[in-house]
Amino acid sequence: MTDPSSAYELLAISVRKLIDATIRTELQPSVIASTAAEIDAITRRLRSEQMPGSFGQRARIDGQSPASGNAVIGVRNPSAPPLMIHDRGNGSVCAEVVLGAAYEGPAGYVHGGVCAMLLDHILGATAHKPGRPAYTGTLTLRYHRGTPLRTPLQAEAWIDHVEVVKTFAAGQLSDGQGVTVSAEGVFIHRRH
Amino acid sequence: MTDPSSAYELLAISVRKLIDATIRTELQPSVIASTAAEIDAITRRLRSEQMPGSFGQRARIDGQSPASGNAVIGVRNPSAPPLMIHDRGNGSVCAEVVLGAAYEGPAGYVHGGVCAMLLDHILGATAHKPGRPAYTGTLTLRYHRGTPLRTPLQAEAWIDHVEVVKTFAAGQLSDGQGVTVSAEGVFIHRRH
């Protein structure tokens, strides 16, 4: 393993698969209880050396991105899809993602709140600059139809215009048939 | 165990703690790799009997709520906080929740997209009726200040008015110091 941080990333990938299996398993309840005990033992071992707060609050920087714990893009966060955002230049960004059972709302469809979460992040990414994060001011979402689970989705966003510290962004979530949710938002850089 | 479905719920609680430990562990990468292999073995066992799609797509109903896999309220979904929603009557609903490392955006704060996800669900809950789900039409969020991690939060929502199949709802997320994010949304019952 060339990059030591990749061990943590691989652990997160394993736990991400475990989340899916936990939701979908049909093993008998009697077997499930002993499995939970095994997982608790692993958790105790991982906790034997752990940072006191959340990932972003770590004092020590050792090559791991401060965003590694992020709820949407964090490669160390098993609850994050994680969204891998590509920069197309000029504030235009996109990401492809397939969402499984962990992101369900209506049967077979992505939870509307998960769509909102992904769009908040990708619209905000139009305004992010290294060391100068942008915070959501307002976000408006329009749901055109259901966003299917287990289907390739594209999230994309772009800058409409910028006013001093405010970036006005727009974006959308789409499947192969077109847009499922569209969004507009204002993202703010705090003055130093 | 009196309720067999509670075994699955306890498994989800164990995996929820594992997610937090996965993000925050500072064990050496060499130890992490063998832990990931143990988790993969557990995942294979859980997958030996599993439903083909997502939880909501199950044909068989055996006392487990169809919402058990839901991304926000699913007691079988380790990625869900899960939000426990209380009905105050007349479409007014509330929930208390403490969010940990898995929900981080800015260091020490809840991801703005996670706030959006919770508010989408709780505003929608004002319109939900048994067997008659409501779908998000539009959702607008205003972020007043950061929402802290590891702090008791209250989510609440109420009905502003109803027009035929549309429920106009409003709500907010608060900590002990007041409102952090407020929201308005339109939720739609599909005609049968």
Side-chain angles (χ1 to χ4, degrees):
Chain A
M1 208 164 291
T2 50
D3 174 10
S5 72
S6 65
Y8 299 112
E9 191 172 334
L10 290 174
L11 175 64
I13 290 170
S14 291
V15 177
R16 215 168 273 134
K17 290 176 183 162
L18 177 65
I19 293 168
D20 183 85
T22 295
I23 298 168
R24 298 169 61 205
T25 190
E26 294 189 306
L27 284 182
Q28 291 306 304
S30 55
V31 187
I32 293 296
S34 64
T35 302
E38 282 179 70
I39 291 168
D40 290 342
I42 293 173
T43 299
R44 278 193 296 276
R45 193 193 317 153
L46 293 173
R47 286 207 187 293
S48 66
E49 287 185 42
Q50 78 174 9
M51 55 195 82
S54 51
F55 196 89
Q57 295 178 305
R58 293 195 323 158
R60 185 165 51 89
I61 298 299
D62 53 8
Q64 294 187 62
S65 161
S68 294
N70 186 282
V72 176
I73 60 167
V75 292
R76 277 194 63 165
N77 186 337
S79 288
L83 214 59
M84 306 296 237
I85 298 180
H86 304 285
D87 190 341
R88 291 161 157 173
N90 295 318
S92 174
V93 290
C94 65
E96 302 216 334
V97 69
V98 175
L99 300 172
Y103 303 98
E104 189 172 48
Y109 289 92
V110 181
H111 192 294
V114 171
C115 298
M117 178 175 75
L118 300 183
L119 284 164
D120 171 67
H121 195 101
I122 200 153
L123 266 70
T126 65
H128 277 301
K129 295 188 171 55
R132 200 161 171 251
Y135 300 89
T136 316
T138 60
L139 180 67
T140 298
L141 302 140
R142 287 183 184 78
Y143 294 78
H144 305 282
R145 59 186 171 86
T147 302
L149 288 176
R150 305 194 298 160
T151 299
L153 301 175
Q154 184 169 54
E156 52 191 329
W158 53 89
I159 294 175
D160 184 82
H161 64 285
V162 177
E163 289 178 8
V164 198
V165 295
K166 294 183 179 176
T167 300
F168 293 75
Q172 59 196 28
L173 195 61
S174 315
D175 64 7
Q177 273 65 58
V179 177
T180 61
V181 187
S182 54
E184 292 176 10
V186 181
F187 297 84
I188 302 165
H189 288 287
R190 292 203 185 133
R191 292 170 199 274
H192 290 291
Chain B
M1 206 163 293
T2 50
D3 175 8
S5 73
S6 66
Y8 299 112
E9 191 172 335
L10 290 175
L11 176 64
I13 290 171
S14 291
V15 177
R16 216 169 271 133
K17 289 176 184 163
L18 177 65
I19 292 168
D20 183 85
T22 295
I23 297 168
R24 297 169 60 203
T25 190
E26 293 189 307
L27 284 182
Q28 291 306 306
S30 54
V31 186
I32 293 298
S34 63
T35 302
E38 283 178 69
I39 291 168
D40 290 343
I42 293 173
T43 300
R44 277 193 297 275
R45 193 193 318 151
L46 293 173
R47 286 207 188 293
S48 65
E49 287 185 40
Q50 78 175 9
M51 55 195 81
S54 50
F55 195 90
Q57 295 179 306
R58 293 195 323 157
R60 185 164 53 88
I61 298 298
D62 52 9
Q64 295 187 62
S65 161
S68 294
N70 187 281
V72 175
I73 60 167
V75 292
R76 277 193 64 164
N77 186 338
S79 288
L83 214 59
M84 305 297 236
I85 299 181
H86 305 286
D87 190 341
R88 293 160 156 174
N90 295 317
S92 174
V93 290
C94 65
E96 302 217 334
V97 69
V98 175
L99 300 172
Y103 303 98
E104 189 172 48
Y109 289 90
V110 181
H111 193 293
V114 172
C115 298
M117 178 175 73
L118 300 183
L119 285 164
D120 171 67
H121 196 101
I122 199 154
L123 265 72
T126 66
H128 278 301
K129 294 187 171 57
R132 199 159 171 250
Y135 299 88
T136 316
T138 60
L139 181 67
T140 298
L141 303 139
R142 287 183 185 78
Y143 293 78
H144 306 282
R145 59 186 170 84
T147 303
L149 288 176
R150 305 195 301 160
T151 299
L153 302 175
Q154 184 169 53
E156 52 192 328
W158 54 88
I159 294 175
D160 185 81
H161 64 286
V162 177
E163 289 178 8
V164 198
V165 295
K166 293 184 179 177
T167 300
F168 292 75
Q172 59 196 27
L173 195 61
S174 315
D175 64 7
Q177 273 65 59
V179 177
T180 61
V181 187
S182 55
E184 292 175 11
V186 181
F187 297 84
I188 302 165
H189 287 288
R190 291 203 186 135
R191 293 170 199 273
H192 290 291

